Amino acid sequence: MTPDTYVDQYLAQRAGQAPTVDRLVTTPSNLDAQGMLDVIADPRLGPQVLEVLADLFRPEGSIYYDAIYGDYHGQADIRAWLIPTMALIDFVEFVPQATTEMFDDGEGGTSVDEWQMVAVLDGERIPLPKGVSVRRYRDGWITWNVDVYDTGPFRTSPDPDTPPPDLPPWPRTTWDALPASDDTPLSASARAWLDDRSEQSETATEPPGLSHEDLHSIVHHPIAGQNMGIVADLMHPTDSRYIDPLFGELEGQAAIRRWLLDVMPKVGAMRFDPVGPTLFNGRASVQEWVQTALLPDGSTVPLVRGTSVRRFADGWIVYAADYFDTAPLADPQMQQAARAAGSTLAAADIERYR
């Protein structure tokens, strides 16, 4: 089965018909991860792409998570939400921000798409939050689709006399964390660089002389990756960018360093629990996580669900994006938990960088 053949067969059966929620596909597509991506991208599908996307979800044991609407499980549940909801926002375009990255996860493949929502209203294009989609592919099915983006701007009104949009509360989805590794392997070159590194207070102008895999292993190491000076040293002096929904976008190693060293010590006792494997393909890496507050009594409180993407070029990190929803951070209970964990972040810290 090729992607073209799959689309040909679908169109022969469903040509000109509106997408329906009264449908269940029980036969796998017999496509690999790239083939399923190619099907979704086929321009011949038009609005029917929503039905085809739903067709590709495994009937049982699949999940679609959306940062506004939460989690849906199984093809029928996903279809019943996906088709009518996406039809309501057909004025929103999802503009790619980078090429799709494919990762070999050892089980069928994982893809990462970064995008920006753009509302097209009366001929005007209005930029909305950026986001990321992580999909997992298994045995001819999609089994995991997680869309993470900042819903905070959608939950407020720019006009104080206008009530905010009527949206469901931010999702309280429970995520199963993977065991955290305390022994992320570092190559001899990476260990030697860490041993020889001196603390940097200004821009590191010479590349560290490490492979992209070394850079990836350092920033995801449970100890080295928490040292913000080390992370900053690995960012390209001028052609690097860091995206954070709270603080905006920072460019260049010096600006990123100032921000990391200023803000990160103020977040308090936090743990980033992995909810997906850390993946690397030579050019990029992805990590899905839940930021968890560690309270003095030993208890923990999950705060936000996020996805981090890193990109590498010419021996540097050139791009870092941490996608998460800021809406939970406005919840009084979450704020109380963050303060109990020692967070001292204030509005002034955010305003200083945005």
Side-chain angles (χ1 to χ4, degrees):
M1 175 76 73
T2 68
D4 281 345
T5 301
Y6 185 94
V7 174
D8 287 341
Q9 291 180 356
Y10 168 82
L11 291 175
Q13 298 169 358
R14 299 282 298 156
Q17 299 183 55
T20 176
V21 298
D22 300 320
R23 178 177 169 87
L24 181 67
V25 176
T26 58
T27 303
S29 68
N30 293 321
L31 296 167
D32 62 10
Q34 186 60 56
M36 284 182 268
L37 275 177
D38 290 343
V39 164
I40 297 168
D42 195 311
R44 293 177 293 166
L45 292 172
Q48 289 176 292
V49 68
L50 294 176
E51 183 167 85
V52 172
L53 177 58
D55 289 352
L56 291 172
F57 279 90
R58 193 162 61 191
E60 304 292 337
S62 56
I63 180 175
Y64 197 123
Y65 172 85
D66 177 87
I68 287 180
Y69 296 97
D71 51 314
Y72 297 85
H73 297 262
Q75 186 189 123
D77 194 32
I78 292 168
R79 186 189 305 276
W81 165 78
L82 179 69
I83 290 177
T85 303
M86 293 299 106
L88 288 175
I89 59 168
D90 59 359
F91 59 90
V92 175
E93 296 180 1
F94 293 82
V95 180
Q97 299 297 289
T99 57
T100 298
E101 295 289 351
M102 186 68 72
F103 298 88
D104 180 1
D105 57 24
E107 298 186 60
T110 294
S111 68
V112 172
D113 286 293
E114 295 176 272
W115 35 265
Q116 179 166 20
M117 290 178 276
V118 176
V120 183
L121 298 170
D122 298 325
E124 184 179 0
R125 298 179 64 83
I126 305 169
L128 301 174
K130 294 179 179 179
V132 62
S133 297
V134 177
R135 292 193 186 104
R136 299 178 192 169
Y137 308 86
R138 305 288 187 265
D139 302 319
W141 297 107
I142 298 172
T143 60
W144 176 279
N145 191 124
V146 172
D147 295 343
V148 174
Y149 54 97
D150 185 10
T151 76
F154 298 121
R155 299 179 185 276
T156 59
S157 174
D159 183 353
D161 297 326
T162 303
D166 183 19
L167 294 176
W170 60 269
R172 268 67 169 178
T173 303
T174 299
W175 298 92
D176 294 328
L178 300 179
S181 172
D182 293 328
D183 188 30
T184 302
L186 295 174
S187 71
S189 298
R191 291 192 179 278
W193 181 82
L194 288 169
D195 290 342
D196 293 342
R197 174 190 173 273
S198 60
E199 290 294 330
Q200 297 284 343
S201 59
E202 298 179 356
T203 302
T205 57
E206 295 298 324
L210 300 171
S211 69
H212 291 171
E213 186 170 9
D214 285 335
L215 301 180
H216 161 73
S217 65
I218 289 172
V219 297
H220 289 97
H221 190 272
I223 298 175
Q226 299 304 306
N227 184 318
M228 295 301 103
I230 288 175
V231 173
D233 287 353
L234 301 177
M235 305 294 296
H236 191 282
T238 56
D239 299 334
S240 55
R241 183 161 57 125
Y242 205 120
I243 299 174
D244 180 280
L246 270 179
F247 294 90
E249 300 190 15
L250 300 105
E251 296 187 354
Q253 186 195 119
I256 294 170
R257 184 189 304 280
R258 284 193 298 272
W259 172 67
L260 289 173
L261 296 180
D262 175 29
V263 167
M264 294 307 162
K266 299 176 181 177
V267 300
M270 299 290 168
R271 186 177 70 206
F272 290 85
D273 294 327
V275 293
T278 305
L279 301 174
F280 171 71
N281 66 5
R283 302 176 305 275
S285 69
V286 63
Q287 175 67 78
E288 298 179 272
W289 44 266
V290 172
Q291 184 184 13
T292 302
L294 309 179
L295 306 190
D297 63 2
S299 63
T300 61
V301 177
L303 297 181
V304 295
R305 167 66 166 85
T307 298
S308 293
V309 178
R310 304 288 183 263
R311 297 180 186 273
F312 311 89
D314 302 321
W316 296 98
I317 302 171
V318 295
Y319 177 89
D322 297 333
Y323 295 97
F324 58 89
D325 185 10
T326 64
L329 301 180
D331 186 304
Q333 289 184 323
M334 299 298 104
Q335 292 176 347
Q336 181 180 2
R339 288 194 297 269
S343 174
T344 60
L345 277 177
D349 295 307
I350 299 171
E351 293 168 1
R352 192 159 55 250
Y353 293 96
R354 287 199 68 87

